[in-house]
Amino acid sequence: MSAAGPKLEQVPAIAVESLHFAYPDNEFNIRIPTLQVAAGEKLAFIGPSGSGKTTLLQLLSGVLSPDSGEILMGDFSIGHASDEQRRAFRVRNIGMVFQEFELLEALCVQENILLPFL
C-alpha cells in the first residue's frame, strides 16, 4: 500500500471547450472543440502563416475574447472576465514576447523591459 494515498485529479493549467472566434468582416475563424494542457506540459502550436497560431495565443492570454466557448487558465475564466480582469490576470500570470518586439525608441532597454510593470 502506498503512503501517498490515492491520486487526486488535477485541474488542467489550460482548458478550452467549444471555442469559436472570428474577426469581424473577415472569413478567418478558429474553432477548437477541446484542448487541455496539464501543468508543466510543453506545447507548440505550428502551422503556416495565417493559420491562427497568434490568434489562439491572444485568446488564451485574454488579449482577445472568444465569441463562444470556454477558456480556463487554472480556475480563471478568460471568456467571462471583463477587459480589466483579463488585463490584471495577464500582468500577474502570463509572459509574452511579441514577434515584432514592440520596443519604444524613446526608452532605453531597461525602461522598455520595465514598461509593462508600470
Side-chain angles (χ1 to χ4, degrees):
M1 186 165 157
S2 170
K7 246 185 168 176
L8 297 176
E9 188 174 322
Q10 293 195 1
V11 174
I14 301 171
V16 175
E17 292 293 329
S18 304
L19 177 71
H20 177 252
F21 174 81
Y23 287 106
D25 303 323
N26 192 314
E27 291 181 25
F28 176 84
N29 70 80
I30 285 182
R31 291 185 187 277
I32 299 176
T34 185
L35 170 68
Q36 289 197 353
V37 181
E41 184 175 5
K42 292 177 176 65
L43 182 67
F45 298 115
I46 59 173
S49 179
S51 63
K53 301 176 301 290
T54 299
T55 300
L56 177 57
L57 291 172
Q58 289 177 336
L59 286 161
L60 294 175
S61 65
V63 172
L64 296 174
S65 293
D67 295 327
S68 62
E70 183 71 68
I71 301 171
L72 291 172
M73 301 293 271
D75 61 356
F76 181 76
S77 175
I78 297 268
H80 295 103
S82 68
D83 286 342
E84 184 178 329
Q85 291 169 324
R86 290 193 321 270
R87 192 174 309 114
F89 177 82
R90 192 169 44 254
V91 166
R92 285 190 305 271
N93 299 285
I94 298 175
M96 298 175 73
V97 178
F98 295 94
Q99 292 173 357
E100 306 292 329
F101 293 106
E102 307 294 337
L103 299 177
L104 300 176
E105 290 182 28
L107 301 179
C108 70
V109 172
Q110 183 178 18
E111 291 167 333
N112 268 287
I113 291 169
L114 294 175
L115 186 61
F117 297 102
L118 301 175

